[in-house]
Amino acid sequence: MLRLGVLVSGGGTNLQAVLDSIEKGEVTNARIEVVISNNQGAYALERAKKHGINALCISPRQYTDREEFHRALLNCLRENQVDLVVLAGFLVAIPPVIVEAFPNRIINIHPSLIPSFCGVGYYGLHVHEAALKRGVKVTGATVHFVDTGTDTGPIILQKAVEVKAEDTPKILQQRVMEQAEWVILPRAIDLIANGKVTVTDGKVSIED
Ligand code: GAR
């Protein structure tokens, strides 16, 4: 059984998709051990509690410096014996000390087709604003392993979503979530939990 640690900062709809997929049996061999937010007010923490899952806030404000905050985060993941860290709308950069402790064992959901609209400054609604500004006709979402760069790790799954002429960033964000994020994040966890994902030379292969 793969023990998941899910890191969140906001509403937690991706967390909800994972919770529901586990409950429906669409994700097997995985259980959420702990949900951690950097933000005390994150609704994602309530979602976890409603499912009886240990939900904690570890905020940089509780620590004297960034290093201590990172250490607290890492300790919490270790104490909960987390096998796979899932970044589900976690808007804090993961420091090298955590990436190195979990090599190819941290995944992130990003709301675009990487390498478009990713990297520093591209998160949440900003991603969709940039996509609309550029006038792309197709966007989507990506699940990737996390390395020490920003959105540069090996790509596990991607799903495309149509952009419509009348879209606003919020409308597009909702469509990308419904049609892509909430589908590929649980699917990626299921594939990893069932030993179907391997990384070779920075590229992912998936066993059918
Ligand atoms: C999601 O759209 C996720 O892809 C994005 O934040 C949102 C969180 O929503 N993540 C990033 O932009 C990371 N670069 P949620 O809290 O409802 O799951």
Side-chain angles (χ1 to χ4, degrees), residues 8 23 51 71 83 94 102-103 113 134 158 201:
V8 292
E23 279 177 14
H51 286 255
R71 214 166 16 240
D83 300 309
I94 299 297
F102 289 88
L113 293 173
R134 183 63 186 82
Q158 294 189 296
D201 296 333

Side-chain angles (χ1 to χ4, degrees), residues 57-76:
C57 171
I58 298 180
S59 160
R61 294 184 197 171
Q62 300 158 336
Y63 302 93
T64 47
D65 59 30
R66 214 70 192 166
E67 224 168 275
E68 246 191 75
F69 164 59
H70 293 154
R71 214 166 16 240
L73 207 50
L74 182 54
N75 285 342
C76 184

Side-chain angles (χ1 to χ4, degrees), residues 44 74 108 127 152 185 187:
L74 182 54
N108 179 47
V127 176
T152 52
L185 183 59
R187 192 180 290 160

Side-chain angles (χ1 to χ4, degrees), residues 11-27:
T13 63
N14 278 286
L15 166 67
Q16 190 68 54
V18 176
L19 286 165
D20 293 346
S21 302
I22 291 174
E23 279 177 14
K24 284 191 243 161
E26 292 166 3
V27 170

Side-chain angles (χ1 to χ4, degrees), residues 11-144:
T13 63
N14 278 286
L15 166 67
Q16 190 68 54
V18 176
L19 286 165
D20 293 346
S21 302
I22 291 174
E23 279 177 14
K24 284 191 243 161
E26 292 166 3
V27 170
T28 57
N29 285 327
R31 52 170 286 159
I32 301 179
E33 215 43 52
V34 65
V35 172
I36 306 170
S37 176
N38 60 312
N39 167 13
Q40 184 69 62
Y43 184 65
L45 292 175
E46 300 309 312
R47 294 184 192 266
K49 286 180 198 156
K50 278 187 197 159
H51 286 255
I53 290 167
N54 185 15
L56 311 164
C57 171
I58 298 180
S59 160
R61 294 184 197 171
Q62 300 158 336
Y63 302 93
T64 47
D65 59 30
R66 214 70 192 166
E67 224 168 275
E68 246 191 75
F69 164 59
H70 293 154
R71 214 166 16 240
L73 207 50
L74 182 54
N75 285 342
C76 184
L77 294 169
R78 283 188 169 141
E79 277 160 19
N80 284 281
Q81 296 170 35
V82 165
D83 300 309
L84 182 73
V85 180
V86 178
L87 309 183
F90 190 58
L91 302 182
V92 172
I94 299 297
V97 64
I98 297 185
V99 175
E100 280 150 22
F102 289 88
N104 286 338
R105 288 195 293 134
I106 307 176
I107 63 171
N108 179 47
I109 177 80
H110 183 78
S112 75
L113 293 173
I114 289 174
S116 291
F117 313 116
C118 64
V120 176
Y122 286 96
Y123 60 90
L125 263 190
H126 299 298
V127 176
H128 305 291
E129 282 161 6
L132 289 177
K133 194 168 174 206
R134 183 63 186 82
V136 293
K137 305 302 180 210
V138 172
T139 184
T142 302
V143 183
H144 63 92

